[in-house]
Amino acid sequence: MSQSPTSKPDPALLDAIPEIPRNKRLRGKEAVEFWARAVKAYGGGHSIRAICARSGRSYGVVHQNLMARGVVLRSPGGYRGNGHAKKQPSNGGPRCPGTHERGQAG
């Protein structure tokens, strides 16, 4: 069920998630089915925000329920395998010169 980093998520996975009316609680079989679809959509490459937009659930609820179901969350920002890594200081020193001297008596 793992998505390759360069392929696009399958829109059918997101379309399978029903829109839940505001303030409606999910219980029993309905909740199990909803979260199974959400887990499948996330595993298929969709973002938490996309799941929220589709379902009407808040980011916090979706995030918390994915974690409760043992889903390993991706790092923010998605895949960045394009070879453009952030540059690190070449001398190994602080990023902002002079900040390491703060707090010393002059």
Side-chain angles (χ1 to χ4, degrees):
M1 189 181 305
S2 180
Q3 189 82 10
S4 72
T6 57
S7 64
K8 294 193 179 208
D10 181 7
L13 293 174
L14 199 57
D15 292 340
I17 297 175
E19 185 175 342
I20 307 297
R22 190 175 177 97
N23 295 325
K24 181 178 186 213
R25 289 189 154 203
L26 295 175
R27 293 195 172 115
K29 185 179 177 183
E30 184 181 28
V32 170
E33 191 174 301
F34 175 82
W35 290 113
R37 290 177 180 182
V39 167
K40 190 171 184 178
Y42 186 79
H46 289 284
S47 68
I48 292 176
R49 294 203 188 277
I51 295 168
C52 295
R54 172 71 182 155
S55 67
R57 303 283 94 173
S58 72
Y59 183 93
V61 166
V62 173
H63 182 274
Q64 182 179 21
N65 277 279
L66 289 175
M67 288 186 61
R69 283 158 178 78
V71 175
V72 177
L73 301 179
R74 297 184 293 269
S75 62
Y79 178 71
R80 296 183 57 105
N82 58 4
H84 301 303
K86 292 181 181 177
K87 291 188 176 182
Q88 297 294 323
S90 60
N91 64 359
R95 290 179 185 254
C96 300
T99 58
H100 64 283
E101 297 173 6
R102 287 186 185 164
Q104 293 180 354

